[in-house]
Amino acid sequence: MTATDTWILLGASSPIARALARNLAGPGRHIVLAGRDSEDLEATAADLRIASGASAEAFAFDAADFPSHSAAAQHWAERGGRLNAVLLFSSMPEQDAIDSDPSLARNCIDVTYGGAVSILHHLAPYWEARKAGTVIAIGSVAGDRGRLKNYVYGSAKAGLHTYLQGLRNRLARSGVHVLTAKLGFVDTSLTWGAPGIFLAASPDAVARKCLAAAAKRRNVCYIPLFWLPIMTVIRLIPEAIFKRLRI
Amino acid sequence: MRWKQLELTGWGRVRRAPTLAARLERSGEFSTLFGGHLPKGLSIFGAGRSYGDSALNSQGHLCLTERLDRILSFDPDSGLIEVEPGVTFRRLLDVFLPLGWLVPVTPGTSFASIGGAVAHDVHGKNHESAGSFGQHVGEIELITGDGSRHRLNPAAHPEWFRATCGGCGLTGLITRIAFKMSRVPSAHVAVTERRLENLDAFLQAFEDTREASYSVGWIDALASGPALGRGILEMANPAPDAGYASTPAKAPSVPINFPARSINRLSVKAFNEFYFHRIPKQPRNRTESYGKFLYPLDAIAHWNRVYGKAGFHQFQCVVPYTDGAKALQHLLETIAASGAASFLSVIKRLGPGRAGYLSFPMPGYTLAVDFPNRAGTEALYRALCGIVLDHGGRIYLAKDALLSPEAFARMYPELPEFRRVLAEIDPDAHFGSDIARRLKIRASA
């Protein structure tokens, strides 16, 4: 296979991943749709091939299956060319569900944080060797402060944000860019019909903004941008007051 | 899967239905909707381009298919394509026209979904030669109320297929549609426009141009007396040497609801006068892209807002050719006398092609007229339905919000067959909708 620009979408069944794939697909690009629902990913791959003429493939990948990550990373690196990845997967059980069944916390952390660190860490040496590439990691405003409503998920994302800071520091030396895209509400099945959701961004708008931010080599961005002032205020509230709030 | 409280409307925005809606991201999720207890009377909502209440479900549950939007396969040798129901005609145009392929049949808006095109067995400006959309469908995958998946094709499952094509979504959730795309020699059509001074001239012109691939007439429904039925006939044929390149234009949008009275006799008369005289007495030729020719109103996003918050009714009927001129004259006289018509009334010829028990087409003239939703509109609509019934015609369910169950049963003679087959496909009435209740589609009237 000739060397092309490869984009690996990790957690590719989400609507944001589908929108990203459609925005990325084009001549000279190879799209890898990595995720658990192979049948669904095959359908998306076919859509990309037909609609854009891009090359696209589905790849069975489970973020929580750590031992499989080494082989997956090696497999993708074998393609040669420029290697890029978008980290999209996470596990977000309702906080109430975790509170009544604490064992759910483990999977949330294993996927959202552990799985992310594991696969990116397996890919990092290839990026260093190749001295090129882009990493876009989907973070969350939930990681900016621990809150009553989603602090297990939020803490996993906070861990991811910190990991990405370090990874950025490491890969910058090799000319590889790492973008942390902190998302607010996105119009997906996670927010559909959930209470307290406002101004949910469309998956396509989020995808375009992620790619634009990566093209500008931004390090951290909030999507939509209005979450930046909101989270700045939320971060600044002193803990003595914050602990009594329900936001 | 969560349910979200929404208020949905049809494109005419007359009916507003508070609903609990679920939105599928992948068709496999439909089974999790059940959780063993699929809500009774679920309706399926595609792109929201039906005008009346055919996708609505007041106080009930509804399932949105807009995100089931993938092209699943395409064979460049035969043109056979398989898509999910939420794929729109717009997407197929954007993807395939540059490659020399076009949908065989399309409604007048590209924003309609393929699932909706099957559920209403839509027709286009080429119905006489190409038939209805459902006639091009080779296979439909349907999930019925018990959660089972069925692959229907017209030869092996004629009854289930005929109930699903044109069945207003009542047989189940359509998850895949396979049909054949048509080869086109370029991305453009050669269009001829003719100005016609009255109804007789119009119908004669239709007769003279039957060999054209596409034909559609715009009619000034406010004109009366000797000018009754005046309008402009557009005919189009493929333009072989025009190439595949086209420049997509950014669509302007109607940003806000117009005030209630902005569509009135005076403004419509002025518009129609201008529109009619735009075309010189001698026929005029031009070459334009398929997108522009097939979907003129798609150039203005949210055009339904010009009718204000109260919305509008689109009356679309077909009357058989036998006595068709008389029927049209009667309809147009009634419309002109009311003064209620809006701009851009459309007249077309239809052939016999139909794929389902409740399909709209029959050989005859079809007339579509928009009426702002005001006092008197319902009475006028019912009067027009009476004329249609007297002439053995019918009303298009994709547009309708006002027909009575009695008139519906008389207009659709295959209703008993539809009911018999529907009782077999969905015995527990898992699927339903406002139109099904209003027209008593399921129960015997």
Side-chain angles (χ1 to χ4, degrees), chain B residues 291-303:
Chain B
K292 252 182 114 175
F293 174 74
L294 294 171
Y295 313 115
L297 275 178
D298 286 355
I300 306 160
H302 303 294
W303 64 262

Side-chain angles (χ1 to χ4, degrees), chain B residues 13 253-264 267-268 271 300-311 342-343 372 374:
Chain B
R13 304 201 309 164
S253 171
V254 177
I256 51 160
N257 286 317
F258 277 28
R261 282 283 156 187
S262 48
I263 304 286
N264 55 51
S267 67
V268 174
F271 176 88
I300 306 160
H302 303 294
W303 64 262
N304 52 353
R305 287 179 181 158
V306 306
Y307 292 99
K309 277 191 177 157
S342 188
F343 22 69
R374 291 187 191 138

Side-chain angles (χ1 to χ4, degrees), chain A residues 53-139:
Chain A
S55 97
E57 64 170 313
F59 188 95
F61 172 79
D62 183 349
D65 182 13
F66 299 164
S68 70
H69 291 183
S70 169
Q74 193 187 345
H75 175 81
W76 295 325
E78 274 165 11
R79 280 192 64 87
R82 200 182 153 98
L83 194 64
N84 310 278
V86 187
L87 183 102
L88 294 128
F89 60 77
S90 65
S91 161
M92 193 179 85
E94 301 277 347
Q95 183 69 40
D96 291 352
I98 301 174
D99 293 348
S100 47
D101 179 5
S103 65
L104 287 176
R106 169 82 192 271
N107 184 255
C108 172
I109 295 162
D110 274 359
V111 173
T112 309
Y113 177 62
V117 169
S118 168
I119 188 62
L120 291 178
H121 230 68
H122 275 107
L123 283 165
Y126 297 106
W127 276 312
E128 283 182 318
R130 227 161 276 182
K131 300 202 179 306
T134 298
V135 184
I136 300 174
I138 301 300

Side-chain angles (χ1 to χ4, degrees), chain B residues 126-382:
Chain B
N126 58 351
H127 184 261
E128 270 198 299
S129 57
S132 70
F133 188 85
Q135 291 183 288
H136 297 268
V137 173
E139 191 169 71
I140 296 169
E141 185 183 74
L142 182 76
I143 303 183
T144 49
D146 59 3
S148 58
R149 278 174 194 258
H150 307 264
R151 292 191 81 100
L152 309 177
N153 75 66
H157 322 89
E159 293 196 326
W160 284 40
F161 189 88
R162 288 178 69 76
T164 301
C165 280
C168 299
L170 294 174
T171 57
L173 175 73
I174 295 168
T175 49
R176 288 164 172 256
I177 303 123
F179 61 98
K180 267 198 171 168
M181 299 284 281
S182 303
R183 264 269 174 223
V184 286
S186 79
H188 298 80
V189 278
V191 184
T192 303
E193 288 174 301
R194 283 179 65 184
R195 191 170 114 182
L196 298 150
E197 305 295 334
N198 56 48
L199 187 61
D200 285 344
F202 217 124
L203 301 186
Q204 187 56 49
F206 261 131
E207 203 59 46
D208 297 343
T209 56
R210 287 184 63 176
E211 75 293 346
S213 298
Y214 295 93
S215 67
V216 57
W218 166 82
I219 210 162
D220 179 359
L222 281 184
S224 56
L228 186 84
R230 72 171 184 175
I232 293 161
L233 177 62
E234 283 188 12
M235 295 145 295
N237 285 303
D241 304 321
Y244 288 111
S246 62
T247 45
K250 191 162 163 35
S253 171
V254 177
I256 51 160
N257 286 317
F258 277 28
R261 282 283 156 187
S262 48
I263 304 286
N264 55 51
R265 198 180 181 117
L266 208 68
S267 67
V268 174
K269 238 189 154 75
F271 176 88
N272 283 1
E273 202 66 35
F274 159 76
Y275 200 80
F276 182 72
H277 289 287
R278 186 175 63 88
I279 307 296
K281 278 194 171 155
Q282 292 308 310
R284 197 169 77 165
N285 299 305
R286 66 175 195 278
T287 301
E288 71 183 9
S289 69
Y290 271 102
K292 252 182 114 175
F293 174 74
L294 294 171
Y295 313 115
L297 275 178
D298 286 355
I300 306 160
H302 303 294
W303 64 262
N304 52 353
R305 287 179 181 158
V306 306
Y307 292 99
K309 277 191 177 157
F312 69 105
H313 289 282
Q314 183 170 94
F315 165 84
Q316 182 170 2
C317 68
V318 56
V319 289
Y321 288 125
T322 317
D323 268 351
K326 235 161 122 187
L328 284 176
Q329 179 159 4
H330 197 174
L331 288 166
L332 287 168
E333 279 168 359
T334 309
I335 293 166
S338 77
S342 188
F343 22 69
L344 301 174
S345 304
V346 169
I347 185 166
K348 291 189 296 263
R349 287 179 63 99
L350 295 183
R354 49 194 282 115
Y357 299 119
L358 299 185
S359 295
F360 169 68
M362 65 164 79
Y365 299 107
T366 174
L367 175 70
V369 188
D370 292 350
F371 299 110
N373 177 30
R374 291 187 191 138
T377 304
E378 294 199 18
L380 172 65
Y381 191 100
R382 287 181 210 290

Side-chain angles (χ1 to χ4, degrees), chain A residues 4 14 20 30 33 40 47 59 63 81 84-85 107 110 123 136 140 144 153 166 194 196 207 218 222-223 231 235 247:
Chain A
T4 48
S14 80
L20 271 166
H30 179 69
L33 302 165
D40 180 68
D47 179 86
F59 188 95
N84 310 278
N107 184 255
D110 274 359
L123 283 165
I136 300 174
S140 170
D144 276 8
Y153 173 75
R218 300 274 305 279
Y222 284 80
I223 299 174
M231 295 320 295
R235 269 204 315 267
I247 53 175

Side-chain angles (χ1 to χ4, degrees), chain A residues 13-15 18 22 37 39-48 50-52 94 187-195 201-203, chain B residues 1-6 21-23 25-27 29 64 66-74 81 84 87 91 95-96 99 149 176:
Chain A
S13 272
S14 80
R18 195 185 294 181
R22 284 183 175 168
D37 188 344
E39 193 188 336
D40 180 68
L41 294 176
E42 291 288 358
T44 301
D47 179 86
L48 293 172
I50 295 162
S52 68
E94 301 277 347
D187 186 14
T188 66
S189 55
L190 285 181
T191 56
W192 180 258
S202 79
Chain B
M1 171 94 40
R2 266 187 302 255
W3 299 95
K4 181 175 179 176
Q5 183 71 49
L6 288 181
R23 185 179 59 196
E25 304 274 5
R26 8 184 166 161
S27 65
E29 291 173 341
L64 297 163
E66 62 188 333
R67 292 221 171 151
L68 305 179
D69 65 347
R70 289 174 297 192
I71 300 164
L72 299 168
S73 67
F74 177 68
I81 188 173
E84 292 186 312
V87 169
R91 181 138 192 264
V95 169
F96 288 101
L99 305 174
R149 278 174 194 258
R176 288 164 172 256

